[in-house]
Amino acid sequence: MANDNVQMWTELNIDLKSHDMLLSALGPIFQEVYLSQKNRPAGMGFYDFVVGDIHGIRVRELREHAKNGGKVVATYCVFVPEELVWAADAIPVGLCAGTQFSVPMAEEVLPRNTCALIKSSFGFRLGRVCPYVQASHLIVGETTCDGKKKMFELLNQYQPVYVMEVPNKKTERSRQLWHGEVLAFKDVIEKLTHNKITAEKLGQAIDLVNARRLALQRLYNLRKVSPVPISGKDALLATQVSFYDDAKRDTQMLTALCDELDKRVAAGQGVVPANAPRILISGSPMAIPNWKLHHIIESAGAVVVCEESCTGTRFFSDLVKPTKNNLEEQLKAISDRYMNIHCACFTPNDERPDDVVRLAKEYKVDGVIHYNLQFCHTYANEAVKMEKRLEKEGIPLLRIETDYSDEDKGQLRTRIEAFLEMIKK
Ligand code: BJ8
C-alpha cells in the first residue's frame, strides 16, 4: 500500500521529498496530542486511522471517482454550499490549511503579515504537498476576507479557482445578492460536471448533508453533559474529519461514536473529573492539524466542551430546511441556510456574541477563550464587542491571538493557566 501511495502521489505531481517531511512531522505530533490521552472512546479509533493514513485511502477514493469521470471540488470555507456539489455527483473536499509546515513556502510569495490559514493553504499548492489540492478539478473560494480573496487570484495561476461573492451585510439586498451567487454556483458546477442538478438529486444531497449535521449536533449535545464523555481534542478531530470524509460514512461513524458516548453518560463516565473547568472556544476555524490551543487547555486540566467556530457549531447548527422536490424552493432554502452563518466578515454581526452567550449557558462553561489567528482583522476587531458583551453577562473571557508556530506555546500556557486559576470552581 505504501508503494501504491507513492505512485499515486507521483501521478498527482506531489513533491515527494517535502511531502515525506510533512508526514513524518505529523506522526509525533499526533502521538503527543492524541494517542497520549487516557480513557478515549473506542470510536475514536476510526479517526486515528483516518489521520494515520491521511493522504492515502481518501485520496484514492477521490482518484477512483475521477477515473470514472467524476469531479472533485475543493473548498476553504463553510459558505460554499456543498449540497450543490453532491447533487451533481461531484465530491466536495474541505481543504485543511492548518499546518505551519507550508507557511514558509507561502511566504516566498505572500506578505508575511497574512493570516496563517491563508499562508498555509497557498503554501500547500505552491509546495505541491497536499494530494487533496492536487486531486481537485476546481477550487472554490469566497470573498469573506481581503487576504483570502487576493490569495485566490494568485492561486488561480496554478489551478482553476472560482470565487463566490459573500456579502458583508445581512440586509435584504445582500440576501438577494447571495441567492444570485448560489444560482451562479449551480451553473458552474453543472458546467464542470456536465450533470444537471435536478430537484430529486438536490433533495437527496440536502438529506445527506443534513444527516451529517444532525450527527454532529448529537455529538455536541453530548458535550453538554458533566462529566463530559469526550475530550475537546477528540470532538474537534471528529469535526475536522467531517470536512473531507465521505458524508454518508462520516454520519455512520459519528453515530457509532455517539452511541458509545450515550453509554458513557448513562454510566456517569467522563474523560475529566466533573469539577474540571469547562471552556468554550470562539473565533477562527481550526483546520487539521491545528490542535495547539485545545492541547494546551486540556493539558492544563480543563476541558473544551464547545467551539463556536467554523470547525464547530457554525458548521452544522442550522439545517437546510427540507422542502418538497421543487428546485426553486430548494435553492432558496440553501441560500437562506448559508446566509445564517455568523462569520466575522459581516457587519454588523451581533448574532455572534448572542450565540456565544447562549452556548456558554447551554454548555455550562466556566469561561470563554476568544481565539483569533494573528493578522485576522475581522475576528480581532470583533473580539472588542465580544469582550464587552461577555463582561455584561458575567462570563469570564480570555483573548488569544496566535498562529500555527510553536514559538508562543510557553507564553500561551502561562496565560491559560492563570485564566484557569481565576475561573476555578
Ligand atoms: S465563514 S470564519 S471559514 S471565512 S482567519 S482566512 S477570516 S484572515 S477563515 Fe472563515 Fe468562512 Fe468566515 Fe468560517 Fe481571513 Fe481571518 Fe484568516 Fe479566516
Side-chain angles (χ1 to χ4, degrees):
M1 188 55 83
N3 280 345
D4 288 355
N5 279 351
V6 173
Q7 195 194 329
M8 174 173 74
W9 297 330
T10 309
E11 285 167 15
L12 286 169
N13 194 23
I14 290 287
D15 178 335
L16 294 177
K17 203 165 152 221
S18 287
H19 184 252
D20 265 3
M21 284 161 63
L22 170 67
L23 290 192
S24 31
L26 185 63
I29 298 172
F30 194 69
Q31 173 68 43
E32 185 203 326
V33 175
Y34 277 92
L35 303 182
S36 64
Q37 292 180 99
K38 294 199 177 71
N39 195 16
R40 296 178 77 209
M44 287 311 296
F46 168 72
Y47 299 94
D48 295 347
F49 167 75
V50 169
V51 176
D53 190 38
I54 195 154
H55 288 173
I57 290 176
R58 185 63 183 142
V59 182
R60 194 171 304 286
E61 288 177 350
L62 300 180
R63 296 275 292 161
E64 268 316 301
H65 176 70
K67 275 182 196 153
N68 295 326
K71 301 292 180 200
V72 177
V73 177
T75 62
Y76 287 110
C77 173
V78 296
F79 262 103
V80 179
E82 59 178 300
E83 289 85 352
L84 292 168
V85 181
W86 291 112
D89 290 329
I91 300 182
V93 183
L95 294 174
C96 298
T99 173
Q100 176 65 20
F101 183 84
S102 52
V103 166
M105 297 168 177
E107 283 177 344
E108 286 176 22
V109 177
L110 299 182
R112 295 192 67 169
N113 59 351
T114 300
C115 106
L117 198 146
I118 298 173
K119 286 191 283 198
S120 183
S121 23
F122 190 65
F124 269 136
R125 180 59 189 88
L126 212 60
R128 294 184 286 113
V129 284
C130 176
Y132 293 96
V133 176
Q134 300 295 116
S136 63
H137 299 95
L138 180 69
I139 295 178
V140 184
E142 13 58 50
T143 58
T144 45
C145 75
D146 289 352
K148 268 208 225 172
K149 71 187 177 209
K150 298 316 280 183
M151 181 273 279
F152 291 133
E153 287 177 26
L154 300 173
L155 194 61
N156 196 29
Q157 295 169 2
Y158 301 87
Q159 210 144 332
V161 176
Y162 175 77
V163 175
M164 293 187 78
E165 183 170 356
V166 176
N168 284 179
K169 293 175 82 173
K170 297 175 184 174
T171 57
E172 192 42 46
R173 226 173 27 220
S174 299
R175 286 180 186 280
Q176 280 169 18
L177 183 149
W178 176 242
H179 187 55
E181 284 297 297
V182 170
L183 299 183
F185 183 55
K186 171 180 164 288
D187 292 346
V188 167
I189 294 297
E190 285 183 335
K191 213 163 155 191
L192 175 79
T193 57
H194 303 292
N195 290 333
K196 198 98 198 115
I197 295 176
T198 61
E200 192 193 350
K201 287 291 242 177
L202 192 52
Q204 288 164 1
I206 290 171
D207 290 347
L208 176 79
V209 182
N210 275 349
R212 192 193 58 212
R213 291 185 183 121
L214 285 169
L216 283 163
Q217 286 178 16
R218 186 177 164 206
L219 173 66
Y220 271 57
N221 280 334
L222 282 156
R223 300 172 75 191
K224 293 176 181 169
V225 178
S226 176
V228 62
I230 184 168
S231 69
K233 286 194 280 198
D234 278 338
L236 175 66
L237 179 62
T239 312
Q240 289 171 331
V241 167
S242 296
F243 279 83
Y244 65 97
D245 196 16
D246 174 71
K248 197 166 168 199
R249 176 176 51 214
D250 191 43
T251 303
Q252 284 165 356
M253 299 320 290
L254 286 166
T255 303
L257 177 64
C258 291
D259 289 346
E260 184 187 352
L261 297 185
D262 272 341
K263 289 190 192 127
R264 284 187 163 212
V265 169
Q269 189 188 352
V271 280
V272 287
N275 64 351
R278 297 168 64 88
I279 300 295
L280 182 152
I281 294 179
S282 169
S284 311
M286 296 168 174
I288 283 185
N290 180 9
W291 306 305
K292 178 171 150 179
L293 191 57
H294 279 63
H295 187 48
I296 295 174
I297 295 169
E298 298 201 331
S299 301
V303 62
V304 179
V305 292
C306 181
E307 296 83 14
E308 185 281 322
S309 80
C310 291
T311 42
T313 53
R314 274 181 248 140
F315 179 43
F316 56 76
S317 287
D318 287 335
L319 304 182
V320 171
K321 213 167 100 205
T323 49
K324 51 182 185 310
N325 279 356
N326 170 321
L327 199 54
E328 221 169 280
E329 285 180 23
Q330 288 166 327
L331 290 164
K332 177 74 174 58
I334 286 173
S335 52
D336 285 350
R337 186 266 167 202
Y338 282 85
M339 260 304 272
N340 208 26
I341 298 168
H342 303 146
C343 173
C345 68
F346 284 107
T347 182
N349 187 35
D350 295 333
E351 294 84 352
R352 190 174 149 238
D354 288 348
D355 284 347
V356 171
V357 170
R358 176 180 50 79
L359 292 169
K361 289 176 185 162
E362 282 177 13
Y363 287 78
K364 299 178 203 71
V365 306
D366 299 297
V368 172
I369 295 188
H370 190 277
Y371 163 79
N372 81 270
L373 284 170
Q374 200 179 17
F375 308 122
C376 172
H377 305 308
T378 49
Y379 280 92
N381 278 287
E382 206 156 273
V384 178
K385 271 193 167 177
M386 188 73 81
E387 195 164 39
K388 283 214 174 102
R389 179 70 199 281
L390 294 193
E391 195 185 334
K392 212 167 116 200
E393 300 282 342
I395 302 170
L397 172 79
L398 175 68
R399 280 171 64 176
I400 296 278
E401 184 165 283
T402 184
D403 58 15
Y404 293 165
S405 74
D406 284 340
E407 282 163 23
D408 61 351
K409 266 188 176 171
Q411 192 204 46
L412 288 181
R413 200 169 292 126
T414 309
R415 291 186 59 208
I416 287 166
E417 282 170 1
F419 181 65
L420 296 179
E421 195 54 40
M422 190 187 89
I423 64 172
K424 212 156 69 181
K425 294 178 226 186

